[in-house]
Amino acid sequence: MTNPDAEAKKELGNKAFAAKNYDEAIKHYTAAIALDSKNCVYYSNRSACYGGKKEWAAAARDAKECIKLNPSFIKGYYRLASAQSEQNEFEAALATIKQGLAIESDNPQLQKQMRQIKAKRSSMRRAENSANTAPSSRAAMPG
């Protein structure tokens, strides 16, 4: 049974989120959590707000709590993988997506996210490899 007061806070949070007023939305979702700490959606929504602010560690923390409360809520995996990817934790993000796909194998959001993260990981590896193989500017200078 949902708590009507918590749902009212969630709705206020949704309005603030839609206006990209993330700090206000976080306050409303936090109030909803205080009233009903077992509702995974409140954590998921607050995770999205932290993501909007690029506060990836906080986004990941709320997404993990969301998954813990409801392991079948796919959006939690999406939010966690997004936060992990933004922190360049590509292997963790891919593992998170695989967990979500184990629950809903044909989820198009997770499938797309997996492709994007693999591409980002490859791009980062290429950049690292070219930085490691580029000749040092000092080595080219006469001594």
Side-chain angles (χ1 to χ4, degrees):
M1 179 99 185
T2 40
N3 178 318
D5 293 334
E7 283 296 301
K9 296 292 184 188
K10 179 186 99 169
E11 290 309 314
L12 292 171
N14 290 351
K15 288 178 183 166
F17 180 83
K20 296 188 182 204
N21 186 343
Y22 301 123
D23 289 324
E24 182 183 337
I26 287 168
K27 287 177 190 168
H28 292 302
Y29 295 133
T30 300
I33 289 167
L35 294 167
D36 182 2
S37 63
K38 301 296 182 206
N39 189 320
C40 70
V41 174
Y42 305 153
Y43 289 96
S44 174
N45 290 2
R46 191 170 70 177
S47 175
C49 293
Y50 285 124
K53 294 179 64 174
K54 301 195 181 325
E55 293 181 11
W56 301 115
R61 190 172 50 249
D62 274 356
K64 285 177 184 175
E65 187 62 26
C66 171
I67 292 167
K68 188 170 106 179
L69 289 170
N70 186 349
S72 64
F73 188 71
I74 295 299
K75 215 179 258 189
Y77 297 94
Y78 180 84
R79 299 220 192 283
L80 178 56
S82 295
Q84 290 167 324
S85 174
E86 289 297 331
Q87 296 176 91
N88 294 332
E89 297 171 1
F90 302 120
E91 301 312 317
L94 292 171
T96 297
I97 291 170
K98 287 176 186 169
Q99 287 176 324
L101 288 172
I103 295 160
E104 191 178 311
S105 61
D106 60 346
N107 184 284
Q109 271 189 306
L110 289 179
Q111 290 171 344
K112 179 180 178 184
Q113 188 180 37
M114 180 175 272
R115 289 189 301 274
Q116 290 170 331
I117 291 171
K118 284 181 176 179
K120 186 176 176 184
R121 179 184 64 181
S122 294
S123 175
M124 291 283 285
R125 284 182 178 165
R126 279 194 300 277
E128 287 171 3
N129 287 340
S130 67
N132 291 338
T133 58
S136 151
S137 58
R138 284 191 204 169
M141 296 177 74

